[in-house]
Amino acid sequence: MFCSCIFIWLIVAAVALKIYLKLRNRQNGSYACLVGKTAIVTGSNTDFYTKTVIFTIAFKIIGIGYITALDFASRGARVILACRNENKAKDAQWKIIKETKNPNVIYKLLDMTSFESVRNFAKDINATEERIDILVNNAGAGGLGNHKTGDGNQITMQVNHISGFLLTHLLLDKIKKSAPSRIVNVASIAARWSKLKVEKMNNFPTDINASLADGQMYANSKLANILFTTELAAKLSGTDVTVNVLHPGAIKTEIFRRVPGILKIIVDALANLYFKTPEEGAQTTIYVATSKELQGVTGKLFDNCKQIELYGVAKNPDLATKVWTKCEELAKLKSAEKIK
Ligand SMILES: *[C@@H]1O[C@H](CO)[C@@H](O)[C@H](O)[C@H]1NC(C)=O
Ligand SMILES: *[C@@H]1O[C@H](CO)[C@@H](O)[C@H](O)[C@H]1NC(C)=O
Ligand SMILES: *[C@@H]1O[C@H](CO)[C@@H](O)[C@H](O)[C@H]1NC(C)=O
């Protein structure tokens, strides 16, 4: 009797939580038309997936870039899918064209683990595209482990931050010429757990458990996204190019990952129920990239289609400047490419 009573209350609580979360999720609410505009979305595969264990909490982001690209295409934009996996990207391209009837969706190879790939991509875009109105730095991954890229950087830091930093520099001339234009950086709530130290930002921590270290690298790279945004906004003031950063949400917690048997099945089912869908996860990106009410708004952080305050170290301009200088070095920027 007692037992079934508890069980019923658990179900009621679970349903109430689901309803609360659903109601809390905001839609992008933007009716902006993007005809005549060009948008680049990095990491816009159909099934982009990242899973990072941070203090045993896992983050999973599925297809946010894809939904973002789909939304832009439905607004009439020319959309460039910038991805590493050609098959998945072509699949995404085909699906978007089919669904939106907008044939102006193209795919170009971009591998964030390689500066050569980033440079080739930027060169190609510079030579072939007339304009860039929106750049969404969405590509990212977690759980990549203790590896170095061919460019000598820690892989998570390069994929999630340095390559986007480099790409933004290389495309900036064209973005400026297309102004008013927008740069949108997709960070993560994980940035809150960052223990970023400038001199160690490119080092995988070896003094802690490897999965914690992975989470720490991920968090550091996401804080770097935020610091990059505020610093770039300051450098671009007066240009009519805005740059903002956001938390997509789309979180699955796996706190109960090690619970046994039948309980795990129930817990997993609940966790799946509480995922943000890719559609929900992409709303803030779409809002920040297109909303008319954000015209001229720059250097700000967004969550759930709302501006939120920068927290703690994320609003430390001194740290932002130091991280910027460090990233110029890690990205191997030539002096002519640096933003004065
Ligand atoms: C963004 O918001 C607009 C307006 O509410 C809506 O029509 C569109 O479907 C939304 N995009 C997505 C991907 O949900
Ligand atoms: C981009 O193209 C222009 C000419 O259209 C050229 O002057 C410029 O150097 C190119 N920039 C890069 C980074 O390749
Ligand atoms: C790291 O943590 C995982 C999960 O908690 C555990 O299985 C593993 O043994 C730990 N490794 C070390 C070296 O402590």
Side-chain angles (χ1 to χ4, degrees), residues 2-178:
F2 175 71
C3 206
S4 66
C5 201
I6 287 226
F7 196 65
I8 288 164
W9 279 113
L10 275 177
I11 290 174
V12 170
V15 171
L17 182 60
K18 178 69 189 175
I19 293 170
Y20 167 76
L21 290 174
K22 276 279 171 204
L23 290 177
R24 188 185 166 274
N25 281 339
R26 291 159 172 251
Q27 247 223 344
N28 73 83
S30 161
Y31 289 97
C33 169
L34 298 181
V35 171
K37 312 247 182 215
T38 298
I40 298 176
V41 182
T42 68
S44 32
N45 282 347
T46 41
D47 63 351
F48 170 75
Y49 176 92
T50 174
K51 189 168 152 199
T52 293
V53 180
I54 296 169
F55 312 130
T56 73
I57 298 174
F59 291 78
K60 188 169 180 181
I61 305 171
I62 317 158
I64 288 178
Y66 168 75
I67 299 291
T68 304
L70 177 71
D71 180 280
F72 292 170
S74 74
R75 294 169 193 270
R78 174 171 173 77
V79 181
I80 297 158
L81 311 176
C83 318
R84 181 158 92 129
N85 185 317
E86 181 169 348
N87 287 336
K88 288 179 183 168
K90 289 202 162 144
D91 185 43
Q93 177 191 19
W94 181 81
K95 280 186 176 147
I96 292 172
I97 291 174
K98 185 163 170 259
E99 191 166 332
T100 63
K101 314 269 187 301
N102 175 351
N104 225 346
V105 178
I106 62 167
Y107 154 70
K108 283 191 196 289
L109 176 76
L110 175 63
D111 178 354
M112 303 296 266
T113 65
S114 154
F115 290 160
E116 193 191 355
S117 174
V118 173
R119 286 185 175 279
N120 286 340
F121 174 86
K123 206 168 161 186
D124 180 354
I125 294 286
N126 187 47
T128 57
E129 294 297 325
E130 253 163 59
R131 49 188 306 116
I132 305 168
D133 301 276
I134 299 171
L135 168 64
V136 180
N137 286 311
N138 169 80
L144 298 176
N146 184 10
H147 299 288
K148 273 196 172 154
T149 63
D151 303 297
N153 292 315
Q154 205 291 324
I155 189 165
T156 303
M157 191 51 76
Q158 179 159 333
V159 166
N160 289 350
H161 185 62
I162 316 286
S163 284
F165 177 90
L166 175 62
L167 178 66
T168 305
H169 276 76
L170 300 178
L171 297 179
L172 198 57
D173 269 347
K174 191 139 278 182
I175 294 172
K176 278 183 177 164
K177 282 185 190 131
S178 315

Side-chain angles (χ1 to χ4, degrees), residues 56 252-271:
T56 73
K252 178 196 179 191
T253 64
E254 283 196 336
I255 296 169
F256 307 108
R257 221 150 46 96
R258 260 168 235 91
V259 299
I262 184 82
L263 197 55
K264 179 166 168 54
I265 295 172
I266 295 170
V267 168
D268 272 356
L270 289 177

